[in-house]
Coordinates of all heavy atoms in Angstrom, one line a residue:
F1 N -26.2 -1.1 111.8 CA -25.7 -1.4 110.5 C -26.3 -0.4 109.5 O -27.5 -0.2 109.4 CB -26.2 -2.8 110.2 CG -25.4 -3.6 109.2 CD1 -24.1 -3.9 109.4 CD2 -25.9 -3.9 108.0 CE1 -23.3 -4.5 108.5 CE2 -25.2 -4.5 107.0 CZ -23.9 -4.9 107.3
R2 N -25.4 0.1 108.7 CA -25.7 1.3 107.9 C -26.0 0.9 106.4 O -26.0 1.8 105.6 CB -24.7 2.4 108.0 CG -24.6 3.0 109.4 CD -23.6 4.1 109.4 NE -22.4 3.6 108.9 CZ -21.2 3.5 109.5 NH1 -21.2 3.9 110.8 NH2 -20.1 3.1 109.0
L3 N -26.1 -0.3 106.1 CA -26.3 -0.6 104.6 C -27.6 0.0 104.1 O -27.7 0.4 103.0 CB -26.3 -2.1 104.4 CG -24.9 -2.8 104.5 CD1 -25.1 -4.3 104.3 CD2 -23.9 -2.2 103.5
A4 N -28.6 0.0 105.0 CA -29.9 0.6 104.6 C -29.7 2.1 104.2 O -30.3 2.5 103.2 CB -30.9 0.4 105.7
A5 N -28.9 2.8 104.9 CA -28.7 4.2 104.6 C -28.0 4.4 103.2 O -28.2 5.4 102.6 CB -27.9 4.9 105.7
G6 N -27.2 3.4 102.8 CA -26.5 3.5 101.5 C -27.4 3.2 100.3 O -27.0 3.5 99.2
R7 N -28.6 2.7 100.6 CA -29.5 2.5 99.5 C -29.9 3.7 98.7 O -30.0 3.7 97.5 CB -30.8 1.8 100.0 CG -30.6 0.4 100.4 CD -31.9 -0.2 100.8 NE -31.6 -1.4 101.5 CZ -32.4 -1.9 102.5 NH1 -33.5 -1.3 102.9 NH2 -32.1 -3.0 103.1
R8 N -30.0 4.8 99.5 CA -30.3 6.1 98.8 C -29.2 6.5 97.8 O -29.5 6.9 96.6 CB -30.5 7.2 99.8 CG -31.8 7.2 100.4 CD -31.9 8.2 101.5 NE -31.4 7.5 102.6 CZ -31.1 7.9 103.8 NH1 -31.3 9.2 104.1 NH2 -30.7 7.2 104.8
G9 N -28.0 6.3 98.1 CA -26.9 6.6 97.2 C -26.9 5.7 96.0 O -26.7 6.1 94.9
V10 N -27.2 4.4 96.2 CA -27.3 3.4 95.1 C -28.4 3.8 94.2 O -28.3 3.9 93.0 CB -27.5 2.0 95.7 CG1 -27.9 1.0 94.6 CG2 -26.3 1.5 96.4
L11 N -29.6 4.2 94.8 CA -30.7 4.6 93.9 C -30.4 5.9 93.2 O -30.8 6.0 92.0 CB -32.0 4.7 94.8 CG -32.5 3.4 95.4 CD1 -33.7 3.7 96.3 CD2 -32.9 2.4 94.3
A12 N -29.7 6.8 93.8 CA -29.4 8.1 93.1 C -28.5 7.8 92.0 O -28.7 8.4 90.9 CB -28.8 9.0 94.1
I13 N -27.5 6.9 92.1 CA -26.6 6.6 91.0 C -27.4 5.9 89.9 O -27.2 6.3 88.7 CB -25.4 5.7 91.6 CG1 -24.5 6.5 92.5 CG2 -24.6 5.2 90.4 CD1 -23.6 5.7 93.3
R14 N -28.2 5.0 90.3 CA -29.0 4.3 89.3 C -30.0 5.3 88.6 O -30.1 5.2 87.3 CB -29.8 3.2 90.0 CG -30.4 2.2 89.0 CD -29.3 1.5 88.3 NE -29.8 0.6 87.3 CZ -29.2 0.4 86.2 NH1 -28.1 1.1 85.9 NH2 -29.6 -0.4 85.3
D15 N -30.6 6.2 89.3 CA -31.5 7.1 88.7 C -30.8 8.1 87.7 O -31.4 8.6 86.8 CB -32.2 8.0 89.8 CG -33.2 7.1 90.6 OD1 -33.6 6.0 90.1 OD2 -33.7 7.6 91.6
A16 N -29.5 8.3 88.0 CA -28.7 9.1 87.1 C -28.3 8.3 85.8 O -27.6 8.9 84.9 CB -27.5 9.6 87.8
G17 N -28.7 7.0 85.7 CA -28.4 6.3 84.5 C -27.1 5.5 84.6 O -26.6 5.0 83.6
H18 N -26.5 5.3 85.8 CA -25.2 4.6 85.9 C -25.4 3.4 86.8 O -26.3 3.3 87.6 CB -24.2 5.5 86.6 CG -24.0 6.8 85.9 ND1 -23.3 6.9 84.7 CD2 -24.4 8.1 86.2 CE1 -23.3 8.2 84.3 NE2 -24.0 8.9 85.2
A19 N -24.6 2.4 86.5 CA -24.6 1.2 87.4 C -23.9 1.5 88.7 O -22.9 2.1 88.7 CB -23.9 0.0 86.7
P20 N -24.6 1.2 89.8 CA -24.0 1.5 91.1 C -23.0 0.5 91.7 O -22.6 0.6 92.9 CB -25.3 1.5 92.0 CG -26.2 0.6 91.4 CD -25.9 0.6 89.9
C21 N -22.6 -0.5 90.9 CA -21.8 -1.6 91.4 C -20.5 -1.1 92.1 O -20.1 -1.6 93.1 CB -21.4 -2.5 90.3 SG -22.9 -3.3 89.6
L22 N -19.8 -0.1 91.5 CA -18.6 0.4 92.1 C -18.9 1.1 93.5 O -18.2 0.8 94.5 CB -17.9 1.4 91.2 CG -16.6 2.0 91.7 CD1 -15.5 1.0 92.0 CD2 -16.1 3.1 90.7
H23 N -19.9 1.8 93.5 CA -20.4 2.4 94.8 C -20.7 1.4 95.8 O -20.2 1.5 97.0 CB -21.6 3.3 94.5 CG -22.2 3.9 95.8 ND1 -21.6 4.9 96.5 CD2 -23.3 3.5 96.5 CE1 -22.4 5.2 97.5 NE2 -23.4 4.4 97.6
V24 N -21.4 0.3 95.4 CA -21.7 -0.7 96.4 C -20.4 -1.4 96.9 O -20.3 -1.7 98.1 CB -22.7 -1.8 95.7 CG1 -22.8 -3.0 96.6 CG2 -24.0 -1.1 95.4
R25 N -19.5 -1.7 95.9 CA -18.3 -2.4 96.3 C -17.5 -1.5 97.3 O -17.0 -2.0 98.3 CB -17.4 -2.7 95.1 CG -16.2 -3.5 95.5 CD -15.4 -3.9 94.2 NE -14.8 -2.7 93.7 CZ -14.4 -2.6 92.4 NH1 -14.4 -3.7 91.6 NH2 -13.8 -1.5 92.0
E26 N -17.4 -0.2 97.0 CA -16.7 0.7 97.9 C -17.3 0.8 99.3 O -16.6 0.8 100.3 CB -16.5 2.0 97.3 CG -15.6 2.0 96.1 CD -15.6 3.3 95.3 OE1 -16.5 4.2 95.6 OE2 -14.7 3.5 94.4
T27 N -18.6 0.8 99.3 CA -19.4 0.9 100.6 C -19.2 -0.4 101.4 O -18.9 -0.3 102.6 CB -20.9 1.1 100.3 OG1 -21.1 2.3 99.6 CG2 -21.7 1.1 101.6
L28 N -19.2 -1.5 100.7 CA -19.0 -2.8 101.4 C -17.6 -2.9 101.9 O -17.3 -3.3 103.1 CB -19.3 -4.0 100.5 CG -20.8 -4.2 100.1 CD1 -20.9 -5.3 99.0 CD2 -21.6 -4.6 101.4
G29 N -16.6 -2.4 101.2 CA -15.2 -2.3 101.6 C -15.0 -1.5 102.8 O -14.3 -1.9 103.8
R30 N -15.7 -0.3 102.9 CA -15.6 0.5 104.1 C -16.2 -0.2 105.3 O -15.7 -0.1 106.4 CB -16.3 1.9 103.8 CG -15.5 2.8 103.0 CD -16.1 4.2 103.0 NE -17.5 4.3 102.6 CZ -17.9 4.4 101.3 NH1 -17.0 4.4 100.3 NH2 -19.2 4.5 101.0
H31 N -17.3 -0.8 105.1 CA -18.0 -1.6 106.2 C -17.0 -2.7 106.7 O -16.9 -2.9 107.9 CB -19.3 -2.2 105.8 CG -20.4 -1.1 105.7 ND1 -20.8 -0.4 106.7 CD2 -21.2 -0.8 104.6 CE1 -21.8 0.4 106.3 NE2 -22.0 0.2 105.1
L32 N -16.4 -3.4 105.8 CA -15.5 -4.4 106.2 C -14.3 -3.9 107.0 O -13.9 -4.4 108.0 CB -14.9 -5.2 105.0 CG -15.9 -6.2 104.4 CD1 -15.3 -6.8 103.1 CD2 -16.2 -7.3 105.4
A33 N -13.8 -2.7 106.5 CA -12.7 -2.1 107.2 C -13.1 -1.7 108.6 O -12.4 -1.8 109.6 CB -12.2 -0.9 106.4
E34 N -14.3 -1.1 108.8 CA -14.8 -0.7 110.1 C -15.0 -1.9 111.0 O -14.7 -1.9 112.2 CB -16.2 0.0 109.9 CG -16.1 1.4 109.3 CD -17.4 2.0 109.0 OE1 -18.5 1.4 109.4 OE2 -17.5 3.0 108.3
I35 N -15.5 -3.0 110.4 CA -15.7 -4.2 111.2 C -14.3 -4.8 111.7 O -14.1 -5.2 112.8 CB -16.5 -5.3 110.4 CG1 -17.9 -4.9 110.3 CG2 -16.4 -6.7 111.1 CD1 -18.7 -5.7 109.3
D36 N -13.4 -4.8 110.8 CA -12.0 -5.2 111.1 C -11.4 -4.3 112.2 O -10.8 -4.9 113.2 CB -11.1 -5.2 109.9 CG -11.4 -6.3 108.9 OD1 -12.1 -7.3 109.3 OD2 -11.0 -6.2 107.7
D37 N -11.6 -3.0 112.2 CA -11.1 -2.1 113.2 C -11.8 -2.5 114.6 O -11.1 -2.5 115.6 CB -11.4 -0.7 112.9 CG -10.5 -0.2 111.7 OD1 -9.5 -0.8 111.4 OD2 -10.9 0.9 111.2
Q38 N -13.1 -2.7 114.5 CA -13.8 -3.1 115.7 C -13.3 -4.4 116.3 O -13.2 -4.5 117.5 CB -15.3 -3.1 115.5 CG -15.9 -1.8 115.2 CD -17.4 -1.8 114.8 OE1 -17.9 -2.9 114.5 NE2 -18.1 -0.7 114.8
L39 N -13.1 -5.4 115.4 CA -12.6 -6.7 115.9 C -11.2 -6.5 116.5 O -10.9 -7.2 117.5 CB -12.6 -7.7 114.7 CG -14.0 -8.2 114.3 CD1 -13.8 -9.0 113.0 CD2 -14.7 -9.0 115.3
T40 N -10.4 -5.7 115.9 CA -9.0 -5.5 116.5 C -9.1 -4.9 117.8 O -8.5 -5.3 118.8 CB -8.2 -4.6 115.5 OG1 -8.1 -5.3 114.3 CG2 -6.9 -4.3 116.1
A41 N -10.0 -3.9 118.0 CA -10.2 -3.2 119.3 C -10.8 -4.2 120.3 O -10.3 -4.2 121.5 CB -11.1 -2.0 119.1
L42 N -11.7 -5.0 119.9 CA -12.3 -6.0 120.8 C -11.2 -7.1 121.2 O -11.2 -7.5 122.4 CB -13.5 -6.7 120.2 CG -14.8 -5.9 120.2 CD1 -15.8 -6.6 119.3 CD2 -15.3 -5.6 121.6
A43 N -10.4 -7.5 120.3 CA -9.3 -8.4 120.6 C -8.3 -7.9 121.6 O -7.9 -8.5 122.6 CB -8.6 -8.9 119.3
T44 N -8.0 -6.6 121.5 CA -7.1 -5.9 122.4 C -7.8 -5.8 123.8 O -7.2 -6.1 124.8 CB -6.8 -4.5 121.9 OG1 -6.1 -4.6 120.6 CG2 -5.9 -3.8 122.8
L45 N -9.0 -5.4 123.8 CA -9.8 -5.3 125.0 C -9.9 -6.7 125.7 O -9.7 -6.8 126.9 CB -11.2 -4.8 124.8 CG -12.1 -4.7 126.0 CD1 -11.5 -3.9 127.1 CD2 -13.5 -4.2 125.6
R46 N -10.1 -7.7 124.9 CA -10.3 -9.1 125.5 C -8.9 -9.5 126.1 O -8.9 -10.1 127.2 CB -10.7 -10.1 124.4 CG -11.0 -11.4 125.0 CD -11.0 -12.6 124.0 NE -11.5 -13.8 124.7 CZ -10.8 -14.5 125.5 NH1 -9.6 -14.1 125.9 NH2 -11.3 -15.6 126.1
A47 N -7.8 -9.2 125.4 CA -6.5 -9.6 126.0 C -6.3 -8.9 127.3 O -5.7 -9.5 128.3 CB -5.4 -9.3 125.0
T48 N -6.7 -7.6 127.4 CA -6.5 -6.9 128.6 C -7.3 -7.4 129.7 O -6.8 -7.6 130.9 CB -6.8 -5.4 128.4 OG1 -6.0 -4.9 127.4 CG2 -6.7 -4.6 129.6
V49 N -8.6 -7.7 129.4 CA -9.5 -8.3 130.5 C -9.0 -9.7 130.9 O -9.0 -10.1 132.0 CB -10.9 -8.3 130.0 CG1 -11.8 -9.1 130.9 CG2 -11.4 -6.9 129.8
A50 N -8.6 -10.5 129.9 CA -8.1 -11.9 130.2 C -6.9 -11.8 131.1 O -6.7 -12.6 132.0 CB -7.8 -12.6 128.9
E51 N -6.0 -10.9 130.9 CA -4.8 -10.7 131.7 C -5.2 -10.3 133.1 O -4.7 -10.9 134.1 CB -3.9 -9.7 131.1 CG -2.6 -9.5 131.9 CD -1.6 -8.5 131.2 OE1 -1.8 -8.2 130.0 OE2 -0.8 -8.0 132.0
A52 N -6.1 -9.4 133.2 CA -6.6 -9.0 134.6 C -7.3 -10.2 135.3 O -7.1 -10.4 136.5 CB -7.6 -7.8 134.5
Y53 N -8.1 -10.9 134.5 CA -8.7 -12.1 135.1 C -7.7 -13.1 135.6 O -7.9 -13.7 136.7 CB -9.7 -12.7 134.1 CG -10.2 -14.0 134.6 CD1 -11.3 -14.0 135.5 CD2 -9.7 -15.3 134.2 CE1 -11.8 -15.2 136.0 CE2 -10.2 -16.4 134.7 CZ -11.3 -16.4 135.6 OH -11.7 -17.6 136.1
D54 N -6.7 -13.4 134.8 CA -5.7 -14.4 135.2 C -5.0 -13.9 136.5 O -4.7 -14.8 137.3 CB -4.7 -14.6 134.1 CG -5.2 -15.4 132.9 OD1 -6.3 -16.0 133.0 OD2 -4.6 -15.3 131.8
T55 N -4.7 -12.6 136.5 CA -4.1 -12.1 137.7 C -5.0 -12.3 138.9 O -4.5 -12.8 140.0 CB -3.7 -10.6 137.6 OG1 -2.8 -10.5 136.5 CG2 -3.1 -10.0 138.8
A56 N -6.2 -12.0 138.8 CA -7.2 -12.1 139.9 C -7.4 -13.6 140.2 O -7.6 -14.0 141.4 CB -8.5 -11.5 139.5
A57 N -7.5 -14.5 139.2 CA -7.8 -15.9 139.5 C -6.6 -16.6 140.2 O -6.9 -17.5 140.9 CB -8.1 -16.6 138.1
N58 N -5.4 -16.1 140.0 CA -4.3 -16.7 140.6 C -3.8 -16.0 141.9 O -2.9 -16.4 142.5 CB -3.1 -16.7 139.6 CG -3.4 -17.6 138.4 OD1 -3.8 -18.8 138.6 ND2 -3.2 -17.2 137.2
G59 N -4.5 -14.9 142.2 CA -4.2 -14.1 143.4 C -4.9 -14.7 144.7 O -5.7 -15.6 144.6
Q60 N -4.5 -14.2 145.8 CA -5.1 -14.5 147.0 C -5.7 -13.3 147.6 O -5.0 -12.3 148.0 CB -4.0 -15.1 148.0 CG -3.4 -16.4 147.6 CD -4.5 -17.5 147.6 OE1 -5.4 -17.5 148.4 NE2 -4.3 -18.5 146.7
P61 N -7.1 -13.3 147.8 CA -7.7 -12.1 148.3 C -7.2 -11.7 149.7 O -7.3 -10.6 150.1 CB -9.2 -12.6 148.3 CG -9.3 -13.6 147.3 CD -8.0 -14.3 147.3
T62 N -6.7 -12.7 150.4 CA -6.2 -12.4 151.8 C -4.9 -11.6 151.7 O -4.6 -11.0 152.7 CB -6.0 -13.7 152.6 OG1 -5.1 -14.5 151.8 CG2 -7.3 -14.4 152.8
D63 N -4.3 -11.6 150.6 CA -3.0 -10.8 150.4 C -3.3 -9.3 150.0 O -2.4 -8.5 149.9 CB -2.1 -11.4 149.3 CG -1.6 -12.8 149.7 OD1 -1.6 -13.0 151.0 OD2 -1.2 -13.5 148.8
C64 N -4.6 -9.0 149.8 CA -5.0 -7.7 149.3 C -4.9 -6.7 150.5 O -5.1 -7.0 151.7 CB -6.4 -7.7 148.8 SG -6.6 -8.5 147.2
D65 N -4.5 -5.5 150.2 CA -4.4 -4.4 151.2 C -5.8 -3.9 151.5 O -6.5 -3.5 150.6 CB -3.6 -3.3 150.5 CG -3.4 -2.1 151.5 OD1 -4.0 -2.1 152.6 OD2 -2.5 -1.2 151.2
P66 N -6.2 -4.0 152.7 CA -7.6 -3.6 153.1 C -7.8 -2.1 152.9 O -9.0 -1.7 152.8 CB -7.7 -4.0 154.6 CG -6.3 -4.2 155.1 CD -5.4 -4.5 153.9
D67 N -6.8 -1.3 152.7 CA -7.0 0.1 152.5 C -7.3 0.4 151.0 O -7.6 1.5 150.6 CB -5.8 0.9 152.9 CG -5.6 0.8 154.4 OD1 -6.6 0.7 155.1 OD2 -4.5 0.9 154.9
Q68 N -7.1 -0.6 150.1 CA -7.4 -0.5 148.7 C -8.8 -1.0 148.4 O -9.3 -1.9 149.1 CB -6.4 -1.2 147.9 CG -5.0 -0.6 147.9 CD -4.1 -1.4 146.9 OE1 -4.5 -2.4 146.3 NE2 -2.9 -0.9 146.8
I69 N -9.4 -0.5 147.4 CA -10.7 -1.1 146.9 C -10.5 -2.5 146.5 O -11.2 -3.4 146.9 CB -11.4 -0.2 145.8 CG1 -11.7 1.2 146.4 CG2 -12.6 -0.9 145.2 CD1 -12.2 2.2 145.4
C70 N -9.5 -2.7 145.6 CA -9.2 -4.0 145.1 C -7.8 -3.9 144.4 O -7.7 -3.1 143.5 CB -10.3 -4.6 144.1 SG -9.8 -6.2 143.5
S71 N -6.9 -4.7 144.7 CA -5.6 -4.7 144.1 C -5.6 -5.1 142.6 O -4.7 -4.9 141.9 CB -4.6 -5.5 144.9 OG -5.0 -6.9 144.9
Y72 N -6.7 -5.8 142.2 CA -6.7 -6.2 140.8 C -7.2 -5.2 139.9 O -7.1 -5.3 138.7 CB -7.7 -7.4 140.7 CG -7.3 -8.6 141.6 CD1 -8.3 -9.2 142.4 CD2 -6.0 -9.0 141.8 CE1 -7.9 -10.2 143.3 CE2 -5.7 -10.1 142.6 CZ -6.7 -10.7 143.4 OH -6.3 -11.7 144.2
L73 N -7.7 -4.1 140.4 CA -8.2 -3.0 139.5 C -7.1 -2.0 139.1 O -6.2 -1.7 139.8 CB -9.3 -2.2 140.2 CG -10.6 -3.0 140.5 CD1 -11.6 -2.2 141.2 CD2 -11.2 -3.6 139.2

C-alpha cells in the first residue's frame, strides 16, 4: 500500500504554503482505480478457475487419457 509514500508529496505541497487536499483526493482516486482494476482481474481469474473446477468436478477421472498429464489442464 503506497499511501505512506504519498505523504512526502503532501508535506511538500504543504511546505510550499498550499493546501494538499486536491493532491490527496487525486492520489486516493488513483488508488481506488488501481484497486478496481485488481478486483476486475481477480474476478476474471476466479471465473476461469471456477469453470475449470466445475469441469473437473463433473468429470470422470477414468475417462482421462493416460497419455496426458490431466485433461482438465
Side-chain angles (χ1 to χ4, degrees):
F1 203 66
R2 293 182 311 241
L3 287 180
R7 289 184 195 147
R8 278 175 275 175
V10 170
L11 293 175
I13 292 168
R14 191 68 183 142
D15 288 347
H18 305 286
C21 299
L22 180 60
H23 173 75
V24 170
R25 185 177 69 197
E26 290 171 350
T27 300
L28 291 171
R30 282 192 304 275
H31 285 299
L32 282 175
E34 290 172 7
I35 290 168
D36 288 341
D37 290 345
Q38 291 173 349
L39 288 172
T40 298
L42 284 172
T44 300
L45 176 61
R46 190 197 185 288
T48 300
V49 172
E51 184 178 338
Y53 173 78
D54 289 342
T55 299
N58 294 312
Q60 292 296 329
T62 56
D63 294 338
C64 290
D65 182 350
D67 294 330
Q68 293 184 353
I69 294 173
C70 178
S71 62
Y72 305 132
L73 297 179

